[in-house]
Amino acid sequence: MNILLVGEYSRLHNSLKEGLEQLGHQVVIIGFNDGFKKFPVDLPLHQKWNSGFLKKIKVLVYKLVGFNITSWQTYRQFKSYETQLKNFDVVQLINENAFYCGYYYEKKMLQFLFENNKNVFLMCCGTDYLTVKYYFENPTFMSLLPPYLEGKIRPENFENVLKFRKEPFRKTHEYIYQNIQGVIASDIDYDIPMRNEMKYLGMVPNPINSDKITFVPLEIKGKIIIFHGINSESYFKKGNDYFEKALTIIEKKYPDQVEIVTTRSVPYLEYIDLYNRAHILLDMVYGYDQGFHALEAMAKGKVVFTCAEKEFYDYYQLQERVNINARPDVPYLVDQLSQLIENPNDIIEIGKNARRFVEREHNYKAIAAQYCSLWQTEKKPSNAC
């Protein structure tokens, strides 16, 4: 098949592409590089007028006449690729707002894809209209919403979530659902909100290319190294404040036994290189299942503090620990870290379990085959554009 993947989050589409190519398919990715993470894409898009003096001009123009310069610039870049965006057997959108544009230009680009390609699918692997709706209707659900409701995040810094509650994004959502063949969730966090939706096709786990990730069995020869990589833009959404408070206590409690490494908003390749020395990696506290970066660290054999609630262990029918369930609870995090520091053999065992789990449940070629099966089963709806 000839496949177009639209958008990139956390290297998900890159790993899926690698799996699809191993199966003999031709794959093209169009999209942004996911900000500072700088993931590769075949047809790159660049957000312009988003910083400094140009951003101030953009905001002023939008307030005066309602014209979004950044959306227009993105649309112009998209237009330059139009001849390369036709006649794909499958197109997959990574999100309902894959181009980060307002309704007018987002719809124009989506309409081109719907009119010039056979089958379009949507991923649910982040915030969109339905997941955000579910979060607000179920405020106790473990999502990125609690820190906002607790007042830790100001509305202007939560706009990438709140925008999906606004009328233009409801219209975009409805337009997409009128034209797609189905929706696929990437993990349990998105599977749960989607279970009663008509176009939901089910969950396909994140694809991890373990062939590219070297597993090095953990050894405890000196200090236990704990790595905390912070993305400043999602500091509270990931629960980094809980991790930092816990680490302050751990550093005082075990000054001769631990080394703590903290980074902030570094590019993906640098981030990966920096945590290679670590035994333990702190990922996030809000959720039920692991995201992409946690799984990659698990593939390396790290002990990852991440989302691993009962729903996760039940879904995969796990008896052994493959990670540590992190929660927004400082004493709990201190206790879990302390147990590992005082029982280093557990670190070694969990690291081995983690690698085996990723190889078994997230193999990029097996996951790519699952996508192909879903894509080939579904047919183009009669009411498409």
Side-chain angles (χ1 to χ4, degrees), residues 79-93:
K79 290 281 288 182
S80 72
Y81 294 130
E82 280 189 344
T83 58
Q84 302 170 69
L85 298 174
K86 297 179 180 180
N87 303 316
F88 285 90
D89 299 303
V90 169
V91 174
Q92 180 165 275
L93 309 172

Side-chain angles (χ1 to χ4, degrees), residues 154-333:
R154 292 180 297 181
E156 59 267 29
N157 295 330
F158 207 57
E159 181 59 25
N160 62 338
V161 176
L162 296 177
K163 69 182 182 183
F164 289 107
R165 306 190 79 199
K166 297 179 180 178
E167 180 64 13
F169 288 93
R170 183 191 64 79
K171 290 169 61 179
T172 302
H173 160 77
E174 291 177 351
Y175 177 68
I176 290 172
Y177 270 64
Q178 289 166 6
N179 290 281
I180 56 171
Q181 282 60 71
V183 186
I184 301 167
S186 63
D187 66 43
I188 295 167
D189 294 281
Y190 310 114
D191 169 67
I192 294 173
M194 295 296 296
R195 286 176 182 172
N196 295 322
E197 296 303 319
M198 291 288 292
K199 289 211 169 183
Y200 183 48
L201 304 178
M203 181 181 116
V204 178
N206 283 302
I208 302 297
N209 187 347
S210 298
D211 294 344
K212 285 189 170 183
I213 300 174
T214 302
F215 169 65
V216 180
L218 296 174
E219 295 181 356
I220 313 293
K221 291 183 176 179
K223 290 186 176 183
I224 294 169
I225 301 171
I226 304 172
F227 179 84
H228 185 203
I230 298 171
N231 176 352
S232 297
E233 292 182 1
S234 57
Y235 180 83
F236 289 108
K237 294 177 192 174
K238 301 284 187 180
N240 288 293
D241 51 328
Y242 291 100
F243 283 138
E244 289 208 299
K245 290 173 183 175
L247 288 176
T248 299
I249 296 170
I250 288 293
E251 197 166 28
K252 292 178 181 177
K253 187 176 179 181
Y254 302 101
D256 300 321
Q257 293 168 260
V258 300
E259 176 187 343
I260 296 170
V261 178
T262 302
T263 66
R264 291 183 182 271
S265 300
V266 298
Y268 171 76
L269 291 178
E270 184 180 345
Y271 171 87
I272 295 296
D273 186 59
L274 285 168
Y275 79 60
N276 278 337
R277 294 174 51 242
H279 300 94
I280 297 170
L281 182 140
L282 308 183
D283 177 47
M284 62 184 296
V285 305
Y286 296 111
Y288 297 82
D289 197 351
Q290 297 89 67
F292 210 88
H293 289 165
L295 290 168
E296 287 192 322
M298 288 165 62
K300 285 195 171 191
K302 308 302 180 185
V303 176
V304 183
F305 277 63
T306 186
C307 305
E309 292 287 341
K310 182 177 183 296
E311 290 83 351
F312 160 73
Y313 274 83
D314 288 347
Y315 179 87
Y316 290 106
Q317 299 181 330
L318 292 169
Q319 301 300 317
E320 73 280 8
R321 284 196 298 174
V322 300
N323 49 32
I324 304 297
N325 185 31
R327 293 173 180 161
D329 181 331
V330 173
Y332 166 83
L333 293 173

